[in-house]
Amino acid sequence: MRFLFLVFCIVSCTSAFAKGPSLDNITSDDLDKISKEFSANFVHRPVSPASPLGDVFGFEVGIIGGVTDAPDIEAISLRENPTDADPFGKIAHAGAFASVSVPFGITGELILLPETELGDVSISHTSIGLKWTFGNLLGIPLVDLAVRGHLSKSELSYNDTIDSVATSVTLDNTTYGVSLLASGNLLLIEPFGGLGIVTRETELSASGSAQIFDTTFTTAQTQSVDDTSFQVFAGVQANLLFMKIAAQYENVFGTSVTSAKLSFGF
C-alpha cells in the first residue's frame, strides 16, 4: 500500500508541475503565503528514523516523493485566472535519495532532483542533511535519539502571460534548520517523530516589462521574504531485508506535507 502511495507521489510531481500558478498583482501578504507553501514543499526530508544505517557503516539509496497542500497559492492563482479548470492547488516534491552512516553515529544525507523540464516548468532541487544518533549514549533500550542539521536549495521557473506580456517567472528558495528525532527500534518496524526549527528565504522574480507585484507593494521585478517556523513530523519505516519503505506526515510553516520513501541498502 505504501509503495502504491509512493508511485502516486511521483506521478503527482509530474502533473503538479506541468504548469505554474497564475501570479499577478502580488501583495506583501501574497508573497509571504507563496513562500510558506513553496518552502514547506522543499524542506530537506529524508523520511527516515533516528537510527543510523549500521553499528559502524551503512548506506541507503532510493527515491522520495510527496505532495504539499497549497490552498493559498491556489486562491491567488484563481483570483487572477478564475476560469482555470485545473488550479495549482498542490505542490509535489520528488528526488533521488542517498545516505551513508559512518562511525560514532554520524549519517550524511542527500536528496537530488537535477534541473528537469516538466511541461512548461523547469525545476531543480538539492538538499543535504547531517544526522548524529546519540541515543546509545543514554542507554535507553529500543529507542534511538538523534539531531539533524539540514539545508536545501530549489528553483522553479516557468513562462506565463502577465498583462498580455510573455513573462518568465522564477522562484528561488532556500531553507535550513535543525531538528530533534526519536524513533522506536522494533526491528521490522520503526515509528519515528521529531520537532525542529526551519528558516525559509524565498525570492520571486519576473522578467520583461510586465509588473507581477501590486504597485502599492513594490514597482521592482524582484522581491524576497524570509521567516522562521516550528516543524513537527511523524512517520513509520518498514525494514524488509535490503528494502525500506517509509511514510511521513509533516507540518511546517503552517503547511501540511505528506511524503513516502522506497530505498535499498544495508
Side-chain angles (χ1 to χ4, degrees):
M1 191 67 181
R2 292 191 184 95
F3 175 74
L4 294 177
F5 172 70
L6 181 62
V7 172
F8 167 76
C9 290
I10 302 300
V11 173
S12 294
C13 183
T14 303
S15 60
F17 281 129
K19 65 173 185 175
S22 299
L23 303 181
D24 194 6
N25 299 311
I26 300 301
T27 65
S28 175
D29 183 59
D30 289 340
L31 181 58
D32 189 57
K33 292 176 178 178
I34 292 167
S35 172
K36 285 180 178 178
E37 293 177 347
F38 269 103
S39 297
N41 189 66
F42 292 118
V43 169
H44 176 74
R45 57 178 58 85
V47 194
S48 300
S51 58
L53 298 173
D55 293 334
V56 181
F57 294 99
F59 77 92
E60 181 182 3
V61 294
I63 54 174
I64 290 175
V67 290
T68 299
D69 292 339
D72 289 330
I73 295 177
E74 181 180 32
I76 293 168
S77 186
L78 284 173
R79 183 185 69 197
E80 301 305 319
N81 186 11
T83 61
D84 191 349
D86 184 23
F88 195 97
K90 290 187 180 296
I91 316 172
H93 55 272
F97 170 67
S99 182
V100 176
S101 288
V102 296
F104 307 109
I106 304 297
T107 302
E109 304 162 339
L110 170 68
I111 299 173
L112 177 64
L113 179 66
E115 185 172 354
T116 304
E117 301 288 338
L118 297 171
D120 296 330
V121 176
S122 175
I123 180 175
S124 63
H125 170 75
T126 303
S127 69
I128 57 174
L130 186 64
K131 182 177 70 176
W132 174 45
T133 303
F134 60 87
N136 61 318
L137 301 178
L138 304 179
I140 304 174
L142 302 180
V143 175
D144 286 303
L145 299 173
V147 61
R148 173 188 288 127
H150 55 88
L151 168 71
S152 77
K153 289 186 174 293
S154 311
E155 181 178 297
L156 175 74
S157 61
Y158 60 96
N159 295 321
D160 197 8
T161 301
I162 300 176
D163 301 329
S164 301
V165 177
T167 305
S168 177
V169 179
T170 301
L171 275 154
D172 284 305
N173 201 80
T174 300
T175 69
Y176 54 90
V178 62
S179 56
L180 180 65
L181 300 84
S183 59
N185 187 356
L186 306 178
L187 297 180
L188 295 181
I189 298 293
E190 289 186 81
F192 63 88
L195 299 170
I197 297 177
V198 185
T199 297
R200 58 181 165 94
E201 298 174 355
T202 304
E203 181 181 271
L204 173 63
S205 60
S207 67
S209 59
Q211 179 63 43
I212 194 172
F213 298 105
D214 190 299
T215 54
T216 61
F217 171 37
T218 180
T219 56
Q221 290 293 76
T222 301
Q223 280 295 313
S224 59
V225 64
D226 59 82
D227 198 11
T228 299
S229 166
F230 286 107
Q231 169 196 39
V232 59
F233 56 91
V236 62
Q237 175 170 286
N239 302 313
L240 308 172
L241 294 178
F242 300 113
M243 183 173 67
K244 299 179 181 180
I245 303 173
Q248 174 181 299
Y249 170 81
E250 178 179 352
N251 190 283
V252 60
F253 304 120
T255 302
S256 295
V257 186
T258 307
S259 307
K261 176 186 73 174
L262 173 66
S263 62
F264 301 88
F266 63 87

